Amino acid sequence: MTTTAPPRPAPAPPPPARPSLGTRVRGLWLRWWRRLTAMRTAIVLLFLLALAAIPGSLLPQRSLNQNAVRQYFADHPTLAPVLDRLYAFDVFGSPWFAAVYLLLFVSLIGCVVPRLAEHVRALRAAPPPAPRRLQRLPDSAELATPLTGPAALDVVEEELRVRRFRVVRRETGHADSAGSSGNGPELSAEKGFWKETGNLLFHLSLVALLLGLAGGKLWGYEGSILVTEGQGFCNAFQQYDTHSSGALVDSGDLSPLCIDLEDFRAEYEEDLTAASYTADIRYGGPGEEGEPATIGVNDPLRLDGDRVYVTGHGYAPRFTVTLADGTAFTDVSAPFLPSDQTTMSSEGALKLPDLGAGVEDQLALEGFFAPTGLMQGGVLTSIDPRPLNPQVAVLAYQGYLGLDSGLPQSVYSLDASQIERGRLAEVGRANLAVGETLTLPDGTAITFTGVSQFAALQFSHDPGQVWVLAAAIALLVGLLALLLLRRERFFARVGPAPDGGGTVLSVGSLTRGGGESATSFAELTGRLRAALDERSPTPSAPPSGGAAPEPEVPPSDR
């Protein structure tokens, strides 16, 4: 008995080679890049950017109002430090806002650049061939005409060129009796490239807008200051009450400009609400006489990227301080900040740290100013924002103000810690009208001599303003083109009529955007039908009163 050896198993196929680490990294990078540059991702990032800006509008920002941030910390001592660690008071300079901003910027560029190249190729390319079955298009029709095929296409081409279509004719043979085999003489036309151009312009303008905003933040700066009538300031960070600047701004880059406030006027409605603020200023370089100008809330001074705005106003009471030895400080003043915008009741402080040789104690006045003062229950109040009866309630202090201690303190109020420690002692108080005097125990006389107005001015430098304006206008133009225009393609093919007499013209249209297309297609086919009828030969009419004459027969056939 013979035995056969079992068949040898086939060798197992070798395992597939694993891609190298570099190949896997490139694949992950490519997938990540495609997701980042997808239009859906750009829309999500744009929504996130708008969402991230909400805390910046709800919470005070250090770059705009540091005093408001300090007040928020005082009002919410538990919540404020938590929000501060999340950059809630510096939203637009936070790392997470910058990350969303940069991702949106990269996503938009990745979306727009390939589409721009594709759009340029489409502009240079001919309209695509007609589909094999025109009857399957959303709008289609068949027109019978006695004209030949080329003549019928001539009529269609003429009508489409009048409507600004780009037209291409293709001679591909003859169609069957239904005109649907796709191999007859045909015509392709299209228009509406401005719709896609508007789409690309919209997205490119959005990129330009982001660039302009980023440039303004990096190279821009602004500062706010209160300027009393008759005083002025120069464009320097050291002179501003509050200021902010971009990361690429150096103090030597500031515009050499000085502003003097000559006069300020506030006008009010009948209900005593502010109607307008007007400031007469003089501006020019340091040491120059300057040029006069008048600015208002919505009418700033504009100078080559620099803007000077009026953002508010208030009052600065004036005092004359006469020491016991006869030394006088005439018409010294300090801005009092409004505590009530309806009546312009204001609070502030006047500090006199240097009273001359031989005077050890420093002097300070803390007070309440009423433009139109009225005593109610022994308390001074104001009933009108206009300076009709200016009065001031003052508290006089002598001692050490702590201005040289190295610790920051507000110029509009006294350091309460100095009063609590006994370094500043109250030495007198009084309610004063214009011309009245408060005399201190050491013989110092403090006379309320009048009131001046101050203007809250803001100096802004934003090199991206013109860029942002141009980008915003282009964005609006692109959006209008995207919404109002439509992309249209029109196809026509000719074939013989079923009865062998004349031609059947098959037409179809494909429209994207711009609303309903059936009406415009019906209007176009109606115009084509009329044009075909006008070009068709007219049969000769029989003579009136009888039948048509018989055709002549040659003599050879009789």
Side-chain angles (χ1 to χ4, degrees), residues 357-519:
V359 181
E360 296 182 358
D361 290 336
Q362 299 173 333
L363 178 65
L365 302 177
E366 189 173 43
F368 173 85
F369 173 74
T372 302
L374 180 66
M375 297 297 297
Q376 294 181 346
V379 178
L380 179 64
T381 61
S382 180
I383 59 174
D384 196 301
R386 295 168 294 182
L388 304 179
N389 182 29
Q391 297 184 40
V392 62
V394 296
L395 297 174
Y397 293 88
Q398 286 181 332
Y400 175 65
L401 295 175
L403 298 179
D404 57 354
S405 64
L407 299 176
Q409 59 175 275
S410 174
V411 297
Y412 305 111
S413 62
L414 298 181
D415 187 357
S417 64
Q418 302 297 330
I419 300 176
E420 294 172 356
R421 297 173 183 175
R423 296 182 178 182
L424 272 180
E426 180 184 338
V427 292
R429 64 173 59 190
N431 293 334
L432 303 177
V434 176
E436 295 182 347
T437 301
L438 167 65
T439 303
L440 303 183
D442 64 352
T444 300
I446 302 172
T447 303
F448 178 36
T449 57
V451 62
S452 300
Q453 297 194 74
F454 70 79
L457 301 181
Q458 177 177 305
F459 192 104
S460 299
H461 176 78
D462 187 354
Q465 276 188 340
V466 176
W467 185 276
V468 170
L469 176 61
I473 294 175
L475 187 144
L476 181 60
V477 172
L479 182 61
L480 291 175
L482 176 62
L483 296 178
L484 300 181
L485 300 180
R486 61 184 183 181
R487 182 81 173 271
E488 296 182 65
R489 284 177 176 173
F490 191 89
F491 307 99
R493 182 182 293 119
V494 293
D499 56 2
T503 301
V504 173
L505 177 65
S506 300
V507 295
S509 177
L510 184 62
T511 303
R512 290 193 307 171
E516 181 62 36
S517 61
T519 303

Side-chain angles (χ1 to χ4, degrees), residues 37-371:
T37 57
M39 185 56 65
R40 181 181 301 177
T41 303
I43 294 175
V44 171
L45 289 173
L46 186 61
F47 174 76
L48 289 178
L49 189 69
L51 193 64
I54 293 178
S57 60
L58 298 179
L59 297 173
Q61 300 296 296
R62 285 192 175 90
S63 60
L64 299 177
N65 194 334
Q66 296 185 11
N67 292 329
V69 175
R70 286 193 291 267
Q71 185 62 40
Y72 192 91
F73 269 80
D75 297 338
H76 306 85
T78 304
L79 179 61
V82 177
L83 295 177
D84 194 27
R85 284 194 292 270
L86 299 175
Y87 297 90
F89 303 109
D90 192 16
V91 168
F92 305 106
S94 63
W96 49 268
F97 188 87
V100 176
Y101 190 93
L102 291 176
L103 284 175
L104 175 61
F105 184 75
V106 174
S107 179
L108 285 174
I109 293 179
C111 289
V112 173
V113 172
R115 292 180 61 183
L116 179 61
E118 182 180 351
H119 184 57
V120 172
R121 288 194 298 267
L123 289 174
R124 302 175 61 183
R132 292 182 59 83
R133 299 187 179 276
L134 295 178
Q135 290 78 10
R136 293 185 177 180
L137 293 178
D139 299 305
S140 61
E142 289 187 347
L143 306 176
T145 176
L147 296 175
T148 62
L153 290 181
D154 288 342
V155 174
V156 177
E157 180 177 356
E158 180 180 346
E159 187 64 29
L160 292 178
R161 290 193 183 276
V162 170
R163 297 171 181 263
R164 300 183 182 277
F165 278 83
R166 293 194 310 164
V167 181
V168 172
R169 291 175 63 168
R170 296 179 175 90
E171 300 294 337
T172 58
H174 297 283
D176 58 13
S177 60
S180 61
S181 66
N183 59 350
E186 64 182 32
L187 176 148
S188 301
E190 63 180 342
K191 74 172 183 178
F193 282 97
W194 284 108
K195 181 180 181 65
E196 181 63 17
T197 302
N199 189 7
L200 293 172
L201 178 62
F202 172 81
H203 290 91
L204 288 174
S205 301
L206 187 57
V207 173
L209 186 66
L210 293 176
L211 280 174
L213 292 174
K217 289 296 183 181
L218 291 175
W219 285 280
Y221 59 87
E222 63 181 23
S224 300
I225 187 173
L226 303 183
V227 183
T228 306
E229 291 174 319
Q231 299 181 3
F233 73 98
C234 290
N235 185 25
F237 288 147
Q238 295 81 2
Q239 296 199 16
Y240 290 120
D241 298 330
T242 60
H243 71 273
S244 62
S245 60
L248 302 181
V249 176
D250 186 76
S251 58
D253 299 330
L254 274 62
S255 305
L257 185 67
C258 294
I259 307 291
D260 292 327
L261 178 62
E262 297 182 338
D263 183 56
F264 182 86
R265 299 175 299 279
E267 299 180 1
Y268 297 89
E269 303 286 356
E270 294 182 358
D271 60 354
L272 299 182
T273 58
S276 65
Y277 301 148
T278 304
D280 293 335
I281 64 172
R282 187 172 291 274
Y283 66 94
E288 298 179 359
E289 182 179 357
E291 300 181 14
T294 300
I295 61 176
V297 174
N298 295 319
D299 185 22
L301 175 67
R302 305 175 184 271
L303 297 170
D304 297 333
D306 297 330
R307 303 289 186 270
V308 181
Y309 299 90
V310 176
T311 59
H313 86 110
Y315 296 100
R318 300 193 306 271
F319 299 91
T320 294
V321 179
T322 304
L323 303 181
D325 60 0
T327 303
F329 300 88
T330 305
D331 284 339
V332 290
S333 65
F336 278 34
L337 301 181
S339 57
D340 185 352
Q341 293 291 338
T342 58
T343 62
M344 293 301 293
S345 301
S346 307
E347 298 178 355
L350 173 64
K351 304 176 184 181
L352 299 175
D354 187 7
L355 298 178
V359 181
E360 296 182 358
D361 290 336
Q362 299 173 333
L363 178 65
L365 302 177
E366 189 173 43
F368 173 85
F369 173 74

